């Protein structure tokens, strides 16, 4: 209990006033972009941390009622609202292990209106890792994707009151893309060709027979990926909006799966960078998301006239957007300096949760550095009120097929509040800089990214921005992996390392991780540990653990299916054996935590570790 003097407990207001800004950023209530039911657009589903744990919430826009749907110790974020708005499906795993079943409850609540626990939504399907879900408008039909080590990828047609039927099966990764408006067509993404980084598309009837196929991985020396963006939201319409990489980056096109006609939108002539899109509700236009150099913006593209019109948003990042039936657009926006907010083009804030308001942070500067594979983009933030050279945190993103952007992040903001500069790097393998940049990450996995990180480190030190005696390498997931690999392969470069949920022993990680990630590793490294042992050895942090000189902090979830705990323990045992300075924190969750108190605890431990081990 926090107290203001020796005996009187502090009020909540006093506790809030005394709380540091970095902690407020985690505790302040946040909301996701609300999803809405196509046939009942006044009914929405969103995620919020209002209770201190990220959970699903139902929102009736007509009455204003908001109701918490799920309530689990480790939180819930995977949920889907049925097109008719009558049911909410949510994925039920155990303590963050991502292995479980779909459950459902009525929009206005089950079990006396109080929500779950709920019955299984697709009885007869055993627990699995999820691989997509599409719900029919009839309220009875669902297309359920599953992944298990035993069966590989399976896709099932589940109709209420009947046993689920397998309509697709393959050892390689696959997943549900979308279900057409009338329920007669099912689009799936698959990697039967064995390249988990580039999907092909197949359209099936509900009985599993094939209607159409599109595969850009065949017939060329360069494999190209495709993705399902959604069927046209019109009865009887056979147009499927897809994403492709034929021009060296992601672009949308319209594919009529009945006739085979492909309609290129011609957007590449107007906009650089990656493009994605979704349908406007009447099917006459597309809402285009344009991502370029770590920022994003919105456009409306009218299909009949091919007119492209800017949808005004502030400079920063749009992390989600949807077109509403009235023609307005709702979007989740933030920048590095300004916290996220759900806005509408009609000029209002869509959702403004009550309670503690999130403090802002500091803007990013763009830095471009020449690296061995081309120019590397880094986002740089410097602490307020002090001059360099700064103690500097190199905060490395996960994925690896992801990228850092000019978006709000509470973790980097906490470092800034404590006087550190922060540098985030979109190394080769990152998305948003063209297909070649992303696809460069093969065979020399980890070592390629670290070359780009080293180039930015060299700029930071030689420019006088960063203090070479106070450099922290840190990251989570793939960023945690690169942290441990960097400490071993570049031992003189870093003062200390902080790795969250990392790959630490690549061979053991491969054997223990979920099947979809095994497929990705086979693609990245060109085979299994038995087939290409030299590549796994060269890319594994465990190989270089005896060279690590910097103090190491590692945090890991004991139920993590992506970076399993056994391989972390193997690495830690090696550190212990040579008496290396290290600390380990294990927590009862999966690949990260959805509990605010737990996340704050982890950041506090990381800040404390840096304070104790970094030279002053």
């Amino acid at each position: 209990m926090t107290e203001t003097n020796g005996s009187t407990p502090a009020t909540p207001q006093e506790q809030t006033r005394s709380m540091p800004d970095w902690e407020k950023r985690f505790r302040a209530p946040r909301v996701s972009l609300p999803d809405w039911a196509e046939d009942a657009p006044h009914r929405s589903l969103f995620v919020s941390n209002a209770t201190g744990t990220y959970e699903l919430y139902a929102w009736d826009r007509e009455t204003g009622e908001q109701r918490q749907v799920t309530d689990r110790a480790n939180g819930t974020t995977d949920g889907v609202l049925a097109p008719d708005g009558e049911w909410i499906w949510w994925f039920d795993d155990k303590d963050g292990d991502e292995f479980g079943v779909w459950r459902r409850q009525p929009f206005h609540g089950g079990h006396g209106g109080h929500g779950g626990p709920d019955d299984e939504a697709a009885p007869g399907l055993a627990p699995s890792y999820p691989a997509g879900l599409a719900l029919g408008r009839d309220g009875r039909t669902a297309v359920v994707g599953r992944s298990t080590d035993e069966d590989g990828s399976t896709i099932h047609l589940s109709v209420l009151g009947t046993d689920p039927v397998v309509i697709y099966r393959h050892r390689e990764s696959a997943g549900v893309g979308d279900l057409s408006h009338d329920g007669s067509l099912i689009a799936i993404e698959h990697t039967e060709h064995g390249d988990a980084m580039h999907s092909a598309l197949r359209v099936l009837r509900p009985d599993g027979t094939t209607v159409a196929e599109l595969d850009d991985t065949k017939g060329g020396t360069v494999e190209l990926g495709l993705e399902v963006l959604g069927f046209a939201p019109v009865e009887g319409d056979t147009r499927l909006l897809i994403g492709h990489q034929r021009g060296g980056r992601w672009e949308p096109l319209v594919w009529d799966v009945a006739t085979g006609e492909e309609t290129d939108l011609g957007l590449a002539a107007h906009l650089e960078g990656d493009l994605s899109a979704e349908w406007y509700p009447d099917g006459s236009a597309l809402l285009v998301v344009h991502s370029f150099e770590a920022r994003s913006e919105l456009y409306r593209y009218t299909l009949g006239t091919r007119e492209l019109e800017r949808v005004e948003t502030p400079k920063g990042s749009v992390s989600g957007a949807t077109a509403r039936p009235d023609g307005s657009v709702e979007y989740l926006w933030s920048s590095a300096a300004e916290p996220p907010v759900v806005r509408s083009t009609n000029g209002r804030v869509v959702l403004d949760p009550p309670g503690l308001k999130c403090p802002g942070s500091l803007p990013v500067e763009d830095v471009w550095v020449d690296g061995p594979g081309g120019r590397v983009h880094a986002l740089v933030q410097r602490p307020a009120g002090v001059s360099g050279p700064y103690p500097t945190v190199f905060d490395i993103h996960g994925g690896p097929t992801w990228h850092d952007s000019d978006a709000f992040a509470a973790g980097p903001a906490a470092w800034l509040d404590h006087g550190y500069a922060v540098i985030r790097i979109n190394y080769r393998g990152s998305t948003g800089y063209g297909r070649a940049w992303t696809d460069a990450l093969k065979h020399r996995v980890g070592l390629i990214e670290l070359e780009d990180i080293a180039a930015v480190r060299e700029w930071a030190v030689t420019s006088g921005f960063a203090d070479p005696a106070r450099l922290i390498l840190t990251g989570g997931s793939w960023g945690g992996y690169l942290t441990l690999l960097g400490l071993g392969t570049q031992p003189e470069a870093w003062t200390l390392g902080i790795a969250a949920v990392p790959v630490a022993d690549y061979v053991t990680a491969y054997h223990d991780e979920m099947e979809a990630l095994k497929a990705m590793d086979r693609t990245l490294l060109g085979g299994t540990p038995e087939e290409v042992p030299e590549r796994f050895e060269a890319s594994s942090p465990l190989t270089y653990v005896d060279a690590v000189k910097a103090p190491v902090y590692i945090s890991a979830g004991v139920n993590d299916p992506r970076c399993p705990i056994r391989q972390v323990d193997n690495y830690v045992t090696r550190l212990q054996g040579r008496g290396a300075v290290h600390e380990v924190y294990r927590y009862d969750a999966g690949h990260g935590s959805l509990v605010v108190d737990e996340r704050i605890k982890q950041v506090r431990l990381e800040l404390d570790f840096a304070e104790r081990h970094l030279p002053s």
Side-chain angles (χ1 to χ4, degrees):
M1 175 72 73
T2 302
E3 297 186 358
T4 54
N5 56 45
S7 58
T8 305
T11 66
Q13 293 80 7
E14 289 169 334
Q15 290 178 355
T16 298
R17 282 196 297 269
S18 64
M19 186 184 300
D21 279 354
W22 75 263
E23 185 175 338
K24 291 179 184 177
R25 294 190 191 98
F26 287 96
R27 294 201 183 280
R30 294 191 183 188
V31 291
S32 68
L33 179 73
D35 188 20
W36 53 275
E38 293 180 44
D39 296 336
H42 61 286
R43 293 186 174 183
S44 293
L45 182 70
F46 65 92
V47 176
S48 177
N49 65 336
T51 63
T53 302
Y54 284 89
E55 297 286 1
L56 295 168
Y57 288 77
W59 175 27
D60 189 322
R61 299 186 185 216
E62 288 185 339
T63 65
E65 178 189 4
Q66 294 181 9
R67 179 183 66 83
Q68 184 174 340
V69 174
T70 53
D71 184 9
R72 302 193 304 153
N74 283 305
T76 315
T77 58
D78 286 347
V80 177
L81 182 58
D84 61 6
E86 293 296 323
W87 293 93
I88 296 167
W89 287 51
W90 58 275
F91 192 75
D92 184 12
D93 64 352
K94 182 179 179 181
D95 297 329
D97 66 359
E98 301 181 46
F99 194 84
V101 299
W102 287 98
R103 300 189 182 277
R104 72 173 194 166
Q105 67 172 260
F107 180 82
H108 286 295
H111 299 270
H114 298 296
D118 305 299
D119 298 329
E120 289 189 29
L125 292 182
S128 69
Y129 297 110
L133 174 72
L135 302 180
R137 328 187 79 74
D138 59 4
R140 303 177 63 248
T141 303
V143 183
V144 184
R146 301 172 64 254
S147 173
T148 66
D149 291 344
E150 298 78 16
D151 298 328
S153 299
T154 56
I155 294 176
H156 303 252
L157 184 70
S158 175
V159 180
L160 199 64
T162 65
D163 292 332
V165 177
V166 177
I167 60 173
Y168 177 88
R169 182 189 301 273
H170 201 276
R171 283 303 311 171
E172 298 292 345
S173 298
V176 178
D178 197 20
L179 180 65
S180 65
H181 189 278
D182 61 7
S184 66
L185 299 170
I186 300 162
I188 68 169
E189 300 175 354
H190 71 82
T191 60
E192 294 175 5
H193 48 280
D195 183 348
M197 293 181 69
H198 302 98
S199 293
L201 306 184
R202 183 171 299 155
V203 179
L204 307 173
R205 295 185 180 90
D207 63 3
T209 58
T210 298
V211 175
E213 295 198 67
L214 202 59
D215 188 350
D216 282 3
T217 67
K218 296 178 179 178
T221 57
V222 178
E223 292 193 335
L224 308 175
L226 299 167
E227 62 178 349
V228 174
L229 300 177
F231 278 106
V234 179
E235 187 74 17
D237 200 323
T238 55
R239 293 176 299 167
L240 178 64
L241 184 64
I242 68 171
H244 69 91
Q245 296 179 299
R246 296 168 184 173
R249 51 158 178 178
W250 283 107
E251 301 173 48
L253 68 78
V254 177
W255 175 35
D256 190 322
V257 302
T259 66
E261 180 184 5
E262 299 177 19
T263 304
D264 182 77
L265 307 180
L267 295 174
H270 304 284
L271 300 170
E272 297 183 77
D274 283 339
L275 301 164
S276 185
E278 71 164 42
W279 296 93
Y280 271 77
D282 63 0
S284 67
L286 303 175
L287 178 61
V288 177
V289 181
H290 171 226
S291 300
F292 183 56
E293 296 185 350
R295 293 170 182 85
S296 50
E297 57 186 0
L298 301 176
Y299 289 85
R300 176 189 170 100
Y301 179 87
T302 303
L303 290 162
T305 64
R306 298 177 70 89
E307 179 183 4
L308 186 67
E309 179 184 2
R310 174 81 185 274
V311 177
E312 292 299 326
T313 60
K315 183 180 179 181
S317 294
V318 175
S319 55
T322 183
R324 294 278 294 167
D326 64 0
S328 66
V329 174
E330 295 178 352
Y331 59 97
L332 180 61
W333 174 90
S334 72
S335 71
E338 299 177 73
V341 58
V342 181
R343 297 184 176 184
S344 171
T345 52
N346 64 18
R348 64 185 178 86
V349 172
V350 177
L351 274 177
D352 186 16
L356 180 66
K357 297 304 177 184
C358 183
S361 187
L362 298 168
V364 294
E365 306 167 26
D366 296 276
V367 171
W368 292 87
V369 176
D370 289 332
R375 297 178 73 221
V376 183
H377 189 195
L379 300 173
V380 175
Q381 291 169 285
R382 60 184 78 220
V386 293
S387 57
Y390 306 105
T392 302
V393 175
F394 287 73
D395 188 2
I396 310 304
H397 73 73
T401 50
W402 189 247
H403 68 272
D404 277 316
S405 60
D406 182 7
F408 196 79
W415 289 109
L416 290 166
D417 285 1
H418 287 79
Y420 298 89
V422 176
I423 297 178
R424 288 175 285 171
I425 302 164
N426 287 330
Y427 50 76
R428 276 172 290 172
S430 302
T431 55
Y433 299 86
R435 185 193 69 236
W437 191 257
T438 303
D439 288 358
L441 184 58
K442 281 191 176 180
H443 297 180
R444 293 181 58 249
V445 173
L447 306 173
I448 290 172
E449 304 96 291
L450 287 170
E451 290 175 351
D452 294 341
I453 293 168
V456 176
R457 179 198 177 279
E458 179 69 12
W459 162 82
V461 171
T462 58
S463 68
F465 180 89
D467 181 349
R470 295 186 291 170
L471 301 182
I472 300 174
L473 186 60
T474 186
S477 190
W478 197 264
Y481 159 63
L482 292 177
T483 295
L484 296 184
L485 190 64
L487 295 178
T489 61
Q490 303 167 348
E492 306 297 335
W494 308 105
T495 314
L496 61 87
I498 299 174
V501 290
V503 174
D505 168 3
Y506 216 141
V507 173
T508 303
Y510 175 86
H511 289 300
D512 289 359
E513 68 194 5
M514 60 173 66
E515 180 58 37
L517 293 184
K518 286 186 174 73
M520 178 60 75
D521 283 338
R522 291 193 297 270
T523 296
L524 290 174
L525 290 155
T528 67
E530 291 72 32
E531 293 166 339
V532 287
E534 72 286 351
R535 290 179 183 168
F536 275 83
E537 181 180 10
S539 293
S540 179
L542 188 67
T543 301
Y544 312 97
V545 65
D546 291 339
V548 173
K549 296 182 178 180
V552 187
Y553 175 88
I554 299 173
S555 61
V558 298
N559 305 312
D560 191 345
R562 298 174 182 266
C563 299
I565 193 65
R566 184 167 71 105
Q567 52 94 29
V568 172
D569 289 341
N570 291 347
Y571 186 89
V572 171
T573 298
R574 289 282 295 275
L575 289 175
Q576 291 172 335
R578 51 184 286 257
V581 178
H582 71 283
E583 294 179 14
V584 183
Y585 173 65
R586 299 173 180 85
Y587 55 95
D588 188 19
H591 198 61
S593 178
L594 300 175
V595 179
V596 172
D597 279 340
E598 175 59 40
R599 183 70 185 111
I600 289 171
K601 178 180 180 180
Q602 292 175 21
V603 173
R604 185 176 284 117
L605 289 171
E606 292 173 1
L607 291 167
D608 177 67
F609 184 81
E611 182 179 357
R612 287 186 285 111
H613 292 284
L614 204 67
S616 57

